[in-house]
Amino acid sequence: MNIIYLVIFFPLISFIFLFFFKNVLSYKIISFISFLLISLSVVSVCLLDIFFFISPYFTFEKCLWSWWNIQSITIDIGILIDSLTCVFLSMITIVACLVYFFSIWYMQHKTNNIGFFELVNLFLVNMLILVISNNFLFMYLGWEGISVCSYLLINFYYSQVRVNYSAMKSFIFTKVGDLFLITAILLLYIHYHTLNFYEIAFLTKIYLIKGTKFLQIVNVLLLIGAIGKSAQIPLQIWLPEAMVGPTPVSALIHAATMVTSGIYLILRNYNVFILTPHVLYMIGIVGGITLILSSIVALVEIDIKRILAYSTMSQIGYIFIALSVGACNAAVMHLIIHAIFKALLFLSAGVLISKCCYEQNIFRMGNQLYKRFPFLYVCFLIGGVSLAGFPIFTAGFYSKEGILLCIYNSKNMFFFIIAILSIILTTLYIFRLIFVTFHTSSNYHITKTSMNCFQYIPLIIFSIFSTTFGILILPNISNMFPMIALPKGYTKFYLESISSILVILNIFISYYFYILRKNIVLKIFILKCLVTLINFIKDSSFGFYYIYELFFLNIYLAVAYFLSRKPFNVCSCFVLFLVKKINFLLISIEDITLNVYIMLISLNIIFVSCLIILY
């Protein structure tokens, strides 16, 4: 198990190496060495995968050192490795390695490109800390670390005011969720005297932790923390705003790593959540609302990266529903597949945007782009059909069907209807994106540059894994959580048939409205009331922007401004001033008293002397 230390050791060494040698060596040498170190981390994870393939039930926990040991309060720093940790480590490091390789090309002519790789390495270290930690507090260290790194990476083009504003907004909204999470952690420790994941799981098994009102409050707070990181309603605004950062950041942080940390938090503490069914149901409600609203916004959005961001929100919402009905194994499978095809879509979008002179409006990107960039078109098609769940040939079909079957089995018609709607909406918005971007005509200028291995290799690998082949190489996750007894007979076949028909039908609907009958869509969109409605949906995200600015952003900035005036320093200075004045007054009184004493003694001596003389 010592190999686990290498997984986190190589990205850390890479960060230190970049920090000290960024001004000494050339960009090519530095990027190559740094990529090599990240690759070694991937190799370490692969060896770990082999071990868990042989021993899937193995669990390794070790205390590294004692962080706090004051009276009865003891907080240890340790690691926990089990099959859940191993799956997340594989997903994070492999996606990060390929995105890193892609970034060598993407960032080569950017200012401060070495700084970009420094931040990516630091982000990766914090993400790995989050996943391997064995207690809440150590996990929270990584949790906060990825927030800071995400803010710095979103704000990479910091010379633009719009980017500063978006980065600040993203940071604030993730902080709101973090405040709830740290409150939950404190309550857990005060009541149960432990923050260790396995000890908490053990307490639930022996019924020392029960589904009380107190636990419901704690679970709601944990859920809000997860909602903040996974960009779910009502804290979803930060993800579309984060798209102002470099495209590799969107592919790595906002599709495969950071947004998955909320799901990891729920999965790691699922034995606690399951004790409070109402909170578990609330997870599904949050996911369902996010899924529908973000899919509708994706249907009217025109920025290619923001469409993909809304798509991420909707798919995470779909996974939230799966967690709500107990389909944890299916949720983990879809989480991995989603990370793969979403990274493919983001990287393909990055190449396309660079070739279209950094134009991101899908209606202005080019003229018949499928003829000019057939390779990118194929990559988009593979990613798109996998996202939609096209039958038989895509990995998304199997991962989404697993969740759909579990939702059907739960007998919850509300979630089932939302899942069916998600199939329709997802197919519509992703094929709207593909048809409008690649098949429409525009006179916008396109750069004629050839592609290189830094673009081809990651896109080819992600494309292969987005097909059925991706399902075949997945680690065995069927025993990670208790299995659900799924319906037998023809139910599975019927559900797969219905979803397949819906996907194919909606592809034709998109093709009809955006290729064959574009005039119909244009005529509909000319209607003034519809334009107003679309602007309301797109610009304010169903009015959420106004609410957030009123209740979160403005209050947070006001508190930050108040704290920037150093109020505690003013208070301490006032107290010091008061103490000095009181001290001076007491000394003065003491001096006066002494003088009075001396005067009285002198008068007494004079009086006594006079009496003696007279006598």
Side-chain angles (χ1 to χ4, degrees):
M1 275 297 111
N2 289 333
I3 200 167
I4 187 61
Y5 301 115
L6 297 178
V7 177
I8 196 167
F9 174 76
F10 288 119
L12 183 63
I13 289 295
S14 177
F15 168 72
I16 296 170
F17 170 76
L18 289 171
F19 184 80
F20 285 104
F21 293 95
K22 61 183 175 184
N23 296 324
V24 179
L25 302 173
S26 69
Y27 174 75
K28 285 185 179 178
I29 295 174
I30 281 183
S31 56
F32 173 75
I33 295 174
S34 185
F35 171 72
L36 186 65
L37 290 169
I38 300 294
S39 304
L40 290 173
S41 181
V42 175
V43 172
S44 306
V45 171
C46 290
L47 293 174
L48 206 62
D49 282 335
I50 295 170
F51 178 81
F52 274 93
F53 179 76
I54 300 169
S55 308
Y57 297 105
F58 181 79
T59 300
F60 175 77
E61 186 185 15
K62 184 176 183 181
C63 176
L64 300 177
W65 71 86
S66 187
W67 189 7
W68 286 351
N69 193 2
I70 304 171
Q71 294 181 347
S72 60
I73 302 175
T74 302
I75 302 293
D76 296 327
I77 296 296
I79 58 174
L80 170 64
I81 310 298
D82 57 8
S83 53
L84 180 65
T85 308
C86 192
V87 165
F88 270 80
L89 286 177
S90 305
M91 180 182 72
I92 293 166
T93 52
I94 292 172
V95 173
C97 184
L98 290 171
V99 172
Y100 204 96
F101 188 72
F102 177 87
S103 304
I104 293 173
W105 161 78
Y106 190 88
M107 301 301 295
Q108 60 181 337
H109 299 303
K110 300 284 193 299
T111 307
N112 192 24
N113 45 20
I114 303 296
F116 170 84
F117 289 111
E118 272 184 273
L119 290 173
V120 169
N121 278 291
L122 192 59
F123 173 84
L124 193 56
V125 170
N126 281 292
M127 193 68 206
L128 294 174
I129 287 173
L130 189 152
V131 173
I132 67 169
S133 58
N134 72 336
N135 64 70
F136 272 103
L137 205 60
F138 192 30
M139 184 206 71
Y140 190 75
L141 188 68
W143 188 278
E144 285 297 320
I146 60 173
S147 292
V148 174
C149 292
S150 171
Y151 165 74
L152 295 172
L153 285 165
I154 295 168
N155 201 25
F156 187 75
Y157 303 123
Y158 56 86
S159 58
Q160 303 173 29
V161 176
R162 187 177 68 90
V163 173
N164 300 153
Y165 185 75
S166 296
M168 183 58 72
K169 192 184 284 188
S170 300
F171 185 71
I172 290 172
F173 282 111
T174 54
K175 284 297 103 191
V176 173
D178 295 353
L179 288 175
F180 285 94
L181 176 61
I182 193 66
T183 308
I185 292 172
L186 289 174
L187 289 177
L188 270 174
Y189 190 81
I190 290 169
H191 201 78
Y192 301 113
H193 309 293
T194 181
L195 294 177
N196 187 287
F197 292 132
Y198 256 49
E199 287 179 5
I200 290 173
F202 178 73
L203 291 176
T204 59
K205 288 178 182 174
I206 60 174
Y207 303 107
L208 286 179
I209 295 181
K210 299 177 182 176
T212 58
K213 294 288 182 187
F214 175 80
L215 190 65
Q216 284 190 355
I217 294 170
V218 170
N219 280 347
V220 168
L221 295 174
L222 287 174
L223 173 60
I224 297 173
I227 285 171
K229 274 289 187 290
S230 293
Q232 297 293 289
I233 282 178
L235 297 174
Q236 86 284 9
I237 292 295
W238 69 269
L239 187 57
E241 293 293 324
M243 293 302 112
V244 296
T247 302
V249 173
S250 306
L252 173 63
I253 296 179
H254 306 129
T257 51
M258 186 167 165
V259 290
T260 65
S261 55
I263 295 170
Y264 177 78
L265 176 68
I266 296 174
L267 286 170
R268 178 54 73 193
N269 299 284
Y270 199 74
N271 43 21
V272 179
F273 275 99
I274 208 166
L275 296 176
T276 54
H278 296 299
V279 180
L280 207 58
Y281 188 72
M282 196 187 298
I283 295 173
I285 296 291
V286 169
I289 296 172
T290 308
L291 193 156
I292 297 299
L293 293 186
S294 56
S295 298
I296 292 172
V297 178
L299 268 174
V300 296
E301 180 59 62
I302 57 174
D303 186 302
I304 188 169
K305 285 179 67 177
R306 289 175 72 92
I307 293 172
L308 296 178
Y310 284 115
S311 167
T312 298
M313 287 163 52
S314 72
Q315 293 305 302
I316 297 293
Y318 193 61
I319 294 170
F320 265 53
I321 295 176
L323 295 175
S324 178
V325 299
C328 296
N329 294 322
V332 173
M333 180 188 287
H334 189 56
L335 189 70
I336 298 169
I337 298 300
H338 170 261
I340 293 169
F341 64 65
K342 194 50 63 67
L344 170 66
L345 288 169
F346 266 117
L347 294 188
S348 303
V351 178
L352 194 63
I353 290 168
S354 70
K355 291 186 179 299
C356 297
C357 299
Y358 296 93
E359 176 59 56
Q360 295 185 195
N361 185 334
I362 58 173
F363 290 94
R364 299 180 57 195
M365 293 190 78
N367 185 15
Q368 302 292 310
L369 291 181
Y370 75 97
K371 294 179 182 175
R372 296 170 182 253
F373 309 116
F375 176 74
L376 287 177
Y377 181 59
V378 171
C379 290
F380 257 99
L381 271 180
I382 294 172
V385 293
S386 192
L387 171 62
F390 192 84
I392 310 298
F393 304 105
T394 63
F397 170 72
Y398 299 98
S399 63
K400 294 179 82 170
E401 288 310 305
I403 293 177
L404 186 65
L405 194 60
C406 292
I407 293 172
Y408 176 81
N409 189 51
S410 70
K411 312 290 185 191
N412 190 317
M413 285 308 295
F414 175 67
F415 289 159
F416 185 71
I417 291 169
I418 288 178
I420 293 295
L421 281 175
S422 80
I423 295 171
I424 298 170
L425 293 172
T426 304
T427 310
L428 285 175
Y429 73 68
I430 193 61
F431 277 91
R432 167 184 175 262
L433 184 153
I434 292 172
F435 290 142
V436 171
T437 306
F438 287 93
H439 289 268
T440 53
S441 300
S442 169
N443 295 323
Y444 210 77
H445 179 68
I446 297 173
T447 55
K448 295 179 180 178
T449 54
S450 59
M451 293 177 65
N452 53 44
C453 66
F454 292 103
Q455 300 160 54
Y456 276 121
I457 292 175
L459 292 180
I460 290 171
I461 294 174
F462 280 132
S463 297
I464 294 170
F465 288 170
S466 297
T467 62
T468 310
F469 184 74
I471 289 292
L472 300 176
I473 62 162
L474 275 183
N476 182 19
I477 56 177
S478 58
N479 299 319
M480 193 178 295
F481 292 93
M483 294 289 289
I484 298 176
L486 296 175
K488 297 179 180 178
Y490 292 103
T491 306
K492 186 172 184 292
F493 173 75
Y494 290 146
L495 286 175
E496 288 179 350
S497 302
I498 291 169
S499 67
S500 301
I501 291 168
L502 285 174
V503 169
I504 294 169
L505 181 66
N506 283 285
I507 291 173
F508 279 111
I509 291 173
S510 290
Y511 184 78
Y512 181 80
F513 281 111
Y514 292 103
I515 300 294
L516 298 180
R517 299 291 182 185
K518 287 185 289 185
N519 292 333
I520 296 176
V521 178
L522 291 174
K523 285 178 183 176
I524 293 172
F525 275 60
I526 286 173
L527 295 174
K528 193 173 180 180
C529 59
L530 194 61
V531 171
T532 307
L533 179 64
I534 289 172
N535 288 335
F536 175 73
I537 293 171
K538 189 162 65 68
D539 296 337
S540 70
S541 187
F542 292 96
F544 278 107
Y545 273 115
Y546 301 128
I547 297 171
Y548 292 151
E549 287 199 357
L550 185 64
F551 290 104
F552 289 108
L553 197 61
N554 292 338
I555 293 175
Y556 192 94
L557 290 176
V559 171
Y561 177 76
F562 174 72
L563 293 176
S564 69
R565 305 301 297 261
K566 301 180 180 177
F568 299 111
N569 287 357
V570 173
C571 291
S572 62
C573 289
F574 175 74
V575 171
L576 185 62
F577 171 78
L578 200 63
V579 169
K580 282 183 178 177
K581 287 297 179 186
I582 293 171
N583 187 41
F584 177 76
L585 183 64
L586 291 174
I587 291 173
S588 301
I589 291 172
E590 190 176 2
D591 288 344
I592 292 170
T593 308
L594 185 62
N595 292 335
V596 171
Y597 285 158
I598 294 172
M599 186 182 69
L600 289 174
I601 291 171
S602 301
L603 287 174
N604 194 28
I605 291 172
I606 294 170
F607 180 73
V608 171
S609 301
C610 290
L611 284 177
I612 293 172
I613 293 169
L614 290 173
Y615 183 75

